[in-house]
C-alpha cells in the first residue's frame, strides 16, 4: 500500500515540476522579446517577468524537482529491483535534471538582465522538456525494449516535426 501512495505523490510532483519547466522557459521567451520593446515598456515588462520567474522557480519548480527525486528514490527502493526499462528511464531522468540545472543558469542570467539567447533559440529549448516527457512516459508505460526502439524512432520524427513547426511559426511571426 505504501508503494501506491508514494507513486501517487511522485506523479503529482512530476506533473508540477514539468509545469514549472514548461512555464519558466515561456517566461524566458517573454523576457527576451521584451528586450525589443521601447522604454519604459521594456523595463516594466522585464521587471515583471523577473518577478514571475523568481516566484515560479523557487515556489514551484525547485520544490517539485526535489520532491520528485525524493518520492522517485522511495519508489525505486519499494519496487525492490532495477529492471532494464528503469535503467533507461533513470538515464532520461538524469538528462532532465541536467536540463533543469541549465534552466537554472538561464534563470540566473535573466535575473541579472543578461540575454544570451534569442526568443527563437529559447522556443527550441522549450521543446527539450517535451522530448524528455515523451521519452520517460513511454518507457514507464511500455517497459519493453522493442517498444523503446519504436519510441526512439517516434521521438526523432516528433523532434523533426517540432523543429519544422518552430520554423514555420517564426516565418509567420516575421511576416506579421
Amino acid at each position: 500500500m505504501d508503494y501506491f501512495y508514494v507513486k501517487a505523490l511522485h506523479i503529482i510532483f512530476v506533473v508540477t515540476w514539468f509545469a514549472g519547466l514548461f512555464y519558466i522557459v515561456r517566461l524566458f521567451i517573454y523576457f527576451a522579446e521584451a528586450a525589443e520593446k521601447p522604454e519604459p515598456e521594456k523595463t516594466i515588462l522585464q521587471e515583471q517577468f523577473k518577478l514571475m520567474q523568481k516566484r515560479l522557480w523557487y515556489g514551484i519548480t525547485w520544490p517539485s524537482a526535489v520532491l520528485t527525486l525524493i518520492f522517485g528514490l522511495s519508489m525505486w527502493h519499494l519496487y525492490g529491483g532495477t529492471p532494464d526499462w528503469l535503467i533507461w528511464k533513470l538515464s532520461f531522468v538524469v538528462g532532465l535534471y541536467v536540463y533543469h540545472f541549465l534552466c537554472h543558469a538561464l534563470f540566473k542570467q535573466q535575473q541579472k538582465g543578461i540575454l544570451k539567447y534569442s526568443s527563437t533559440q529559447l522556443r527550441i529549448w522549450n521543446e527539450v522538456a517535451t522530448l524528455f516527457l515523451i521519452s520517460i512516459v513511454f518507457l514507464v508505460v511500455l517497459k519493453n525494449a522493442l517498444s523503446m526502439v519504436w519510441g526512439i524512432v517516434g521521438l526523432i520524427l516528433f523532434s523533426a516535426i517540432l523543429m519544422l513547426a518552430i520554423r514555420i511559426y517564426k516565418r509567420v511571426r516575421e511576416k506579421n
Side-chain angles (χ1 to χ4, degrees):
M1 191 60 127
D2 289 341
Y3 176 80
F4 294 110
Y5 285 109
V6 171
K7 185 175 185 178
L9 289 168
H10 178 67
I11 292 168
I12 289 165
F13 288 110
V14 166
V15 170
T16 59
W17 183 27
F18 267 102
L21 287 173
F22 287 136
Y23 191 47
I24 194 71
V25 182
R26 292 302 311 165
L27 291 174
F28 295 161
I29 293 165
Y30 300 152
F31 185 91
E33 289 176 347
E36 299 168 8
K37 304 284 185 190
E39 288 294 348
E41 185 179 5
K42 171 187 170 181
T43 301
I44 292 168
L45 286 171
Q46 285 189 327
E47 289 304 313
Q48 182 62 41
F49 291 137
K50 284 199 292 190
L51 178 64
M52 293 167 70
Q53 288 173 359
K54 192 173 184 178
R55 288 177 177 166
L56 173 67
W57 197 243
Y58 291 124
I60 295 172
T61 313
W62 260 110
S64 296
V66 170
L67 290 167
T68 294
L69 182 63
I70 290 168
F71 289 116
L73 292 173
S74 298
M75 274 182 50
W76 187 11
H77 173 72
L78 293 170
Y79 196 74
T82 310
D84 290 344
W85 68 267
L86 186 55
I87 293 169
W88 284 100
K89 179 207 172 193
L90 293 172
S91 300
F92 282 110
V93 169
V94 167
L96 183 59
Y97 274 96
V98 169
Y99 176 82
H100 179 95
F101 289 119
L102 292 171
C103 283
H104 187 77
L106 287 170
F107 165 77
K108 292 299 239 184
Q109 288 170 5
Q110 287 199 352
Q111 290 296 302
K112 294 175 185 172
I114 299 169
L115 284 172
K116 291 189 176 182
Y117 302 99
S118 69
S119 64
T120 302
Q121 290 170 316
L122 290 168
R123 286 177 202 287
I124 293 167
W125 183 246
N126 197 36
E127 301 310 326
V128 173
T130 304
L131 298 176
F132 278 115
L133 177 64
I134 291 167
S135 301
I136 292 167
V137 168
F138 271 89
L139 274 167
V140 170
V141 171
L142 299 175
K143 295 178 178 89
N144 142 350
L146 183 58
S147 295
M148 194 176 100
V149 169
W150 283 110
I152 290 170
V153 169
L155 190 61
I156 291 167
L157 289 173
F158 184 72
S159 299
I161 291 168
L162 276 175
M163 294 303 124
L164 181 62
I166 289 169
R167 286 186 180 178
I168 291 169
Y169 178 75
K170 182 179 178 184
R171 287 185 185 147
V172 169
R173 280 191 55 165
E174 287 173 352
K175 286 182 182 178
N176 295 335

